[in-house]
Amino acid sequence: MNAPERVLLSGIRAAIVDLDGTMLHTAPDFHVAINRMRSELGLQPLDIETITHFVGKGTENLMRRVLGVDYGVDDVEKHFPQALASYQKHYLAINGDHSAIYEGVREGLDLLAKKGVRLACVTNKPIAFALPLLEKTGLHKYFEIVYGGDSLSKKKPDPYPLLKVCEDFGLQPHQVVAIGDSSNDAQAARAAGCRVLNVPYGYNHGESIHNVDSDGIVATLLDAANLISP
């Protein structure tokens, strides 16, 4: 079903918030690091719109999609180790330099904390990238738990990271809402038995968020916080 525009969620004790495309506009960081990597491999730069469509399913998938613009499957795997190492080097060097916090994020996190809603950040970004980025933007202080795409044995859209947060908090899935910008978040939440809200301004692999099965679409994280009550 298509997501409704507005829904009130009660009985929510914790929120699991995505990072890229939900709290932070990080596509410009991806753009810089990926094109520096591509230059090292002798490849032409990609535009930011193309790169944005590849974001969301972890670094390994991102690198394979980026290489797939130029290579077939076998050659993608051949160049993958060099590309990954180069990208990681360049991304760590500029992590957060070109990113921006979306409107309403700090206010939304403040309101959720004020309401007593516990907060976790679950992202498919590697934890070595996620933690410095959260620290640099001043967002880390809001979260009791941060899991990256390589923190656990599985990543979104698998429900396991969300179920692990529920276990960590000692809560049932129906007491937890996931907030994200993509089908990854919605699919993981649905499979885990959590509620889910989506923001419309993120990446979602270049597809409309209005076609994602969720409990509602919210304009900002602050709007999400206003719909959530313990």
Side-chain angles (χ1 to χ4, degrees), residues 164-192:
K164 183 66 169 66
V165 171
C166 294
E167 178 186 340
D168 293 340
F169 282 157
L171 297 173
Q172 295 299 311
H174 67 83
Q175 297 175 295
V176 179
V177 61
I179 305 172
D181 68 310
S182 80
S183 58
N184 281 343
D185 305 290
Q187 290 170 16
R190 283 287 185 250

Side-chain angles (χ1 to χ4, degrees), residues 52-214:
T52 299
H53 291 172
F54 297 159
V55 173
K57 295 188 176 180
T59 299
E60 293 83 0
N61 180 75
L62 176 62
M63 286 301 97
R64 289 187 168 95
R65 295 291 301 277
V66 166
L67 291 172
V69 172
D70 303 273
Y71 299 119
V73 175
D74 290 343
D75 283 334
V76 164
E77 293 308 313
K78 175 183 176 182
H79 293 286
F80 176 80
Q82 180 186 0
L84 181 62
S86 174
Y87 169 74
Q88 289 175 329
K89 174 186 67 178
H90 290 302
Y91 194 95
L92 283 171
I94 56 93
N95 189 6
D97 287 354
H98 308 279
S99 294
I101 300 176
Y102 287 114
E103 178 184 352
V105 169
R106 293 189 192 277
E107 296 87 346
L109 295 174
D110 281 331
L111 182 55
L112 288 169
K114 184 178 179 180
K115 289 183 175 184
V117 176
R118 302 175 73 179
L119 293 171
C121 175
V122 173
T123 173
N124 282 347
K125 182 187 290 294
I127 196 69
F129 297 169
L131 286 177
L133 185 56
L134 287 168
E135 290 285 0
K136 189 169 189 173
T137 54
L139 297 179
H140 189 268
K141 64 183 180 182
Y142 291 102
F143 297 100
E144 293 183 52
I145 296 168
V146 179
Y147 287 136
D150 52 355
S151 296
L152 303 169
S153 59
K154 298 176 181 178
K155 66 183 69 172
K156 298 179 294 184
D158 193 278
Y160 179 65
L162 277 62
L163 291 171
K164 183 66 169 66
V165 171
C166 294
E167 178 186 340
D168 293 340
F169 282 157
L171 297 173
Q172 295 299 311
H174 67 83
Q175 297 175 295
V176 179
V177 61
I179 305 172
D181 68 310
S182 80
S183 58
N184 281 343
D185 305 290
Q187 290 170 16
R190 283 287 185 250
C194 299
R195 309 297 294 274
V196 57
L197 297 173
N198 284 118
V199 296
Y201 50 73
Y203 306 141
N204 195 34
H205 327 299
E207 301 170 5
S208 172
I209 199 65
H210 292 270
N211 297 326
V212 171
D213 177 17
S214 75

Side-chain angles (χ1 to χ4, degrees), residues 5-10 12 111 115 197 216-218 222-229:
E5 290 294 336
R6 185 175 179 86
V7 63
L8 298 173
L9 301 182
S10 59
I12 300 298
L111 182 55
K115 289 183 175 184
L197 297 173
I217 297 172
V218 289
L222 178 57
D223 290 333
N226 279 317
L227 298 177
I228 293 168
S229 61

